[in-house]
Amino acid sequence: GTQGQHCKSGAAFAAAVREALKRGKAPADALKAAGVGGKGNEGKVASVIEAVMAVLAAYEKFPEVFRRAGVLPADMEKGKKILVSLNAADMTQETAKVTKTKSTAARNTLRRRVEETVDAIRGAGMLEFCEKPAVAARFAALVPAGGKPPKKPPEGPKAN
């Protein structure tokens, strides 16, 4: 699934366990350890991972409290699977960001090489055809005076 789906699943799991603990009249230290009353952002993977980890860690510390609240070991196994999927989704997302950044850098490098080559052709053409102003002007038009390529190609005559 998507990162967003994993976040929803993880947030729902943490919220359900916390609600069970509250309804089961768990002691304050167990509630705090499970993250009850804490602020989290259901849309942020790191926040949801933190919430699920808090629930799992609290279970390790207070297993009897969890069992009395109706939270079973199977529920915690489900939480561990959710945590794995959240971490995998986060890793996938981070890898995609790095790949995109590298791809953009490669495109920018290629664009600069093309611009430098066109600029060199412009200079050579203007030198070669310095006595033929009409031809030299075509080479000069390849790169504007500011040194940057035009935003869009010049338009030809419009047909009516």
Side-chain angles (χ1 to χ4, degrees):
T2 66
Q3 190 177 37
Q5 291 167 330
H6 291 295
C7 272
K8 283 182 183 177
S9 177
F13 168 78
V17 171
R18 289 170 176 171
E19 184 64 22
L21 291 172
K22 287 191 283 187
R23 298 270 177 214
K25 310 285 187 241
D29 55 344
L31 291 174
K32 185 175 181 180
V36 173
K39 293 187 178 183
N41 184 340
E42 292 181 8
K44 291 207 174 254
V45 177
S47 182
V48 176
I49 287 173
E50 190 177 307
V52 173
M53 287 176 66
V55 167
L56 294 172
Y59 176 77
E60 293 298 321
K61 194 171 179 183
F62 304 99
E64 289 305 316
V65 171
F66 275 68
R67 286 189 190 110
R68 281 196 305 272
V71 181
L72 305 173
D75 297 322
M76 292 300 104
E77 288 305 314
K78 180 180 178 186
K80 289 175 185 174
K81 288 179 183 172
I82 288 170
L83 184 60
V84 168
S85 67
L86 276 166
N87 280 317
D90 190 38
M91 185 68 78
T92 301
Q93 178 84 7
E94 293 306 312
T95 301
K97 284 182 192 176
V98 169
T99 302
K100 187 175 180 181
T101 301
K102 286 181 180 177
S103 173
T104 300
R107 280 194 310 274
N108 288 342
T109 299
L110 179 61
R111 178 187 49 81
R112 282 190 294 276
R113 285 180 48 205
V114 168
E115 288 173 355
E116 289 167 2
T117 302
V118 169
D119 206 20
I121 291 170
R122 175 189 185 267
M126 289 178 67
L127 179 61
E128 178 66 28
F129 296 102
C130 64
E131 294 180 17
K132 296 183 179 178
V135 177
R138 290 170 62 192
F139 281 96
L142 290 174
V143 180
K148 292 184 179 178
K151 297 256 187 261
K152 60 181 182 179
E155 294 180 23
K158 293 185 179 180
N160 287 339

